[in-house]
Amino acid sequence: MKKYINGKLENGLKYIYIPDPNVMTFTLIVAFKVGSRDEKDDAFGYSHLLEHMLFKGTTRRPKSKDISQEFELLSGSFNATTSQCITNYYMKAPDENFEKCMDLLFDITFNSIIRSVDLEMEKKVVVEEFNKMMDSPMATSVELSIKEIFEDHPLGQSVIGTKESILGFDRDKVYKYYKHFYTPSNCTVSIAGNIGNIKEDKLKKLLQKYTNVCEGKPKSKSKLCQNITSDFVNPKQSIPLKIQEKPKLKVQTRDNTQQCAIMIGYPSATRYNMNDIFALNIAATVLGGGLSSRLFLEVREKAGLAYTIKADNIFFQDSGLFMITTAIEKNSLLLSHVDETKLDIINTGDSHDRGVKSDVVVSKKSKNDKGGLTIILKVMEDILRDGITEDELLRSKTNLVNKLAMSYENTHTIAMYYNEMLMMEHSPIVTINDFIKGIKSMKIKQVNEVIRKYLSFEKMTICVVGNYTEKQIIE
């Protein structure tokens, strides 16, 4: 298993490098500890907006077209992501382009100009991104669920913001926000893969070069001056979450959709509670992690009400989120209204189609009168009462270990994993090998105790977007 090299510069920047000489590429991530949870008052959506604006121009690269062309020349893929807690900028490129990629990525993250004319144009783009999300029942159900589960907690704030906040973005305020949070002391750099002949000492010197702060003009032409005006460090955050004592229901009625989107969520473990994280990953695999999972078998295979259904986890510094997501036949939330005399035609573009070569799979619906939500709640009732079985424990462990082992083939996955470990101050760092050992160590009693601890009906939040009202579901 791969080992890592990590350290911290005098300016506070933390870095980690996971070398792999057996590949021809690397992934470079420059990340900042800022996200939607840090936004207050009229700053809702600023973190996500900056993810867009930092590709628009710098002092050395004033045109967005030049930046885009350079990214495309140097790398095979590049992008940026924003979450509640982290904003990532990343590239995946051939090893010979490593230093040029560092130059480009550090330039846009520390030296962006953020012109008013670009901001006004990008507001329109972000509004369209917002509209696209709201047009998707599934995306809307997730957005509403997170807001409902975390209520007034900062984790409940929308990453993209609202349409009103987007249209109200002010250039000077955005720039001030950018310069406050985008500092070396609030930055982590994660690298995975092959960076050629660059050893640890040279890597450290390159990081110092590209995050250097100069007074006036540099004495050497090789010395870069970055426009850094703050030494802010976002502290480790641990805001208590209000304990949920009864189930919640949130419904957004839509009559013009062909499916009804469901998200069922539970507040769960913090990202530092590793034993509970291991158990919750096993629980997610048993419930909705594949073709043999309980929810997939009941909702799709037996009832034919959904194309796919899955369970997953997200872990934050002060809480977590266990979620079940699916989209079912629009009139079959509570009772099945599928015409069982008809044949079901399913497109074969997904792994759930089990590799069938033909254009369609034709299957007869099994007899069923229960709706999708009714079936899901019954599955949850069963697992709370009886727990998982030894066979499910073994199969879920094997499946998770296989997926983790496969992640070693992807430099992007590795870099993202270790970036979060570094950014969120895990001490010691939990390596992927440690994670595998943790999964393997779980006993059935531990898993079932964690299921009952977090996945009780009292802690459940149900969000539905589709052809139903809240009154219909309650009755």
Side-chain angles (χ1 to χ4, degrees):
M1 295 293 182
K2 300 180 182 65
K3 295 182 179 181
Y4 62 83
I5 298 164
N6 69 312
K8 185 176 181 179
L9 303 184
E10 288 183 8
N11 60 20
L13 180 140
K14 292 179 284 188
Y15 64 91
I16 188 164
Y17 170 41
I18 308 92
D20 185 355
N22 298 314
V23 297
M24 298 174 65
T25 63
F26 65 88
T27 294
L28 167 65
I29 300 173
V30 178
F32 297 87
K33 193 177 183 184
V34 59
S36 58
R37 70 170 299 156
D38 300 294
E39 298 163 355
K40 298 176 182 178
D41 301 325
D42 59 350
F44 296 128
Y46 275 21
S47 302
H48 172 258
L49 172 72
L50 285 174
E51 174 202 315
H52 288 240
M53 293 303 300
L54 268 56
F55 290 87
K56 297 300 179 183
T58 72
T59 306
R60 292 167 54 212
R61 297 172 171 90
K63 296 181 180 179
S64 61
K65 181 181 177 182
D66 295 337
I67 291 173
S68 299
Q69 287 180 342
E70 191 170 352
F71 267 112
E72 289 168 352
L73 283 171
L74 291 175
S75 68
S77 66
F78 62 93
N79 211 333
T81 61
T82 308
S83 70
Q84 287 88 344
C85 311
I86 304 175
T87 308
N88 296 300
Y89 300 83
Y90 61 85
M91 302 176 70
K92 186 169 184 177
D95 57 353
E96 63 267 21
N97 291 345
F98 179 68
E99 189 168 351
K100 291 179 181 178
C101 288
M102 287 188 77
D103 183 13
L104 175 58
L105 213 50
F106 279 115
D107 189 32
I108 70 164
T109 51
F110 285 122
N111 298 321
S112 281
I113 302 169
I114 308 186
R115 292 176 288 250
S116 295
V117 62
D118 294 327
L119 177 61
E120 292 305 311
M121 182 61 70
E122 205 62 23
K123 284 182 184 180
K124 301 175 185 178
V125 175
V126 178
V127 164
E128 290 309 309
E129 185 179 356
F130 176 87
N131 290 338
K132 179 183 177 182
M133 180 187 76
M134 296 309 294
D135 278 348
S136 165
M138 193 71 261
T140 303
S141 70
V142 173
E143 185 85 357
L144 293 174
S145 294
I146 290 173
K147 185 175 181 179
E148 192 71 20
I149 290 165
F150 293 115
E151 295 185 316
D152 298 328
H153 194 281
L155 290 172
Q157 294 175 182
S158 171
V159 172
I160 198 170
T162 65
K163 190 174 287 190
E164 292 73 24
S165 70
I166 294 165
L167 293 172
F169 289 155
D170 176 83
R171 186 270 169 191
D172 290 342
K173 291 180 180 179
V174 170
Y175 190 79
K176 183 179 179 180
Y177 185 90
Y178 162 53
K179 285 301 171 185
H180 178 69
F181 284 102
Y182 279 62
T183 68
S185 49
N186 200 42
C187 175
T188 58
V189 176
S190 179
I191 307 154
N194 188 349
I195 57 175
N197 296 321
I198 296 173
K199 305 301 180 185
E200 184 176 3
D201 287 347
K202 186 176 180 181
L203 175 61
K204 188 173 181 179
K205 287 178 181 177
L206 286 172
L207 290 168
Q208 289 170 333
K209 172 183 175 180
Y210 290 112
T211 59
N212 184 56
V213 183
C214 303
E215 294 293 335
K217 294 183 179 180
K219 295 178 181 178
S220 168
K221 289 185 178 180
S222 64
K223 196 172 187 181
L224 289 171
C225 285
Q226 306 292 35
N227 183 17
I228 299 164
T229 59
S230 169
D231 59 358
F232 174 77
V233 181
N234 207 340
K236 193 172 181 178
Q237 296 168 324
S238 182
I239 301 173
L241 189 69
K242 183 180 178 182
I243 298 173
Q244 187 173 325
E245 296 178 345
K246 60 180 181 179
K248 300 178 188 178
L249 174 64
K250 184 73 174 179
V251 179
Q252 186 178 101
T253 304
R254 293 189 185 182
D255 299 324
N256 58 345
T257 61
Q258 294 301 307
Q259 291 183 308
C260 182
I262 306 170
M263 174 170 161
I264 299 177
Y266 307 79
S268 67
T270 74
R271 65 174 304 114
Y272 307 106
N273 190 342
M274 295 309 301
N275 282 333
D276 283 7
I277 287 174
F278 299 144
L280 285 165
N281 274 280
I282 290 171
T285 304
V286 171
L287 283 167
L291 306 187
S292 64
S293 65
R294 292 191 184 191
L295 289 168
F296 188 86
L297 290 174
E298 294 296 326
V299 176
R300 172 167 164 160
E301 296 297 278
K302 294 182 181 179
L305 294 179
Y307 179 62
T308 185
I309 183 168
K310 60 182 180 179
D312 210 346
N313 288 285
I314 306 174
F315 301 107
F316 306 107
Q317 294 174 93
D318 31 20
S319 184
L321 178 62
F322 184 97
M323 51 189 176
I324 297 166
T325 54
T326 190
I328 64 167
E329 197 277 330
K330 66 177 182 178
N331 295 314
S332 298
L333 182 70
L334 306 173
L335 293 173
S336 176
H337 292 281
V338 173
D339 187 346
E340 295 170 5
T341 65
K342 293 181 180 179
L343 296 178
D344 183 38
I345 301 177
I346 306 171
N347 292 326
T348 58
D350 190 275
S351 59
H352 288 163
D353 296 326
R354 287 161 280 186
V356 179
K357 300 296 183 182
S358 60
D359 290 334
V360 295
V361 174
V362 183
S363 61
K364 188 81 176 246
K365 294 287 186 188
S366 61
K367 190 173 182 179
N368 173 60
D369 60 358
K370 294 178 181 177
L373 181 58
T374 310
I375 295 170
I376 293 169
L377 294 179
K378 179 63 168 63
V379 170
M380 297 309 297
E381 180 185 1
D382 291 345
I383 203 167
L384 281 168
R385 183 187 61 245
D386 303 325
I388 68 171
T389 66
E390 288 286 359
D391 179 62
E392 287 175 323
L393 178 67
L394 177 61
R395 285 189 288 108
S396 61
K397 281 184 180 183
T398 303
N399 182 257
L400 284 167
V401 169
N402 289 344
K403 288 177 180 176
L404 287 163
M406 287 169 63
S407 72
Y408 272 102
E409 299 176 3
N410 188 324
T411 60
H412 178 80
T413 303
I414 295 169
M416 279 291 189
Y417 175 87
Y418 283 97
N419 176 61
E420 287 200 8
M421 284 287 153
L422 195 62
M423 178 74 77
M424 295 304 164
E425 302 176 58
H426 280 264
S427 183
I429 288 174
V430 181
T431 67
I432 294 178
N433 196 31
D434 293 333
F435 206 100
I436 289 173
K437 289 178 181 177
I439 292 292
K440 287 181 175 180
S441 72
M442 284 290 103
K443 307 296 183 186
I444 193 166
K445 182 180 178 182
Q446 292 173 286
V447 177
N448 287 332
E449 285 176 352
V450 167
I451 287 171
R452 295 182 183 110
K453 177 180 178 181
Y454 293 109
L455 307 186
S456 67
F457 281 99
E458 291 77 17
K459 296 179 179 179
M460 173 188 288
T461 296
I462 301 171
C463 185
V464 175
V465 178
N467 189 30
Y468 287 87
T469 64
E470 189 171 312
K471 183 179 178 182
Q472 285 176 298
I473 296 171
I474 292 172
E475 289 178 350

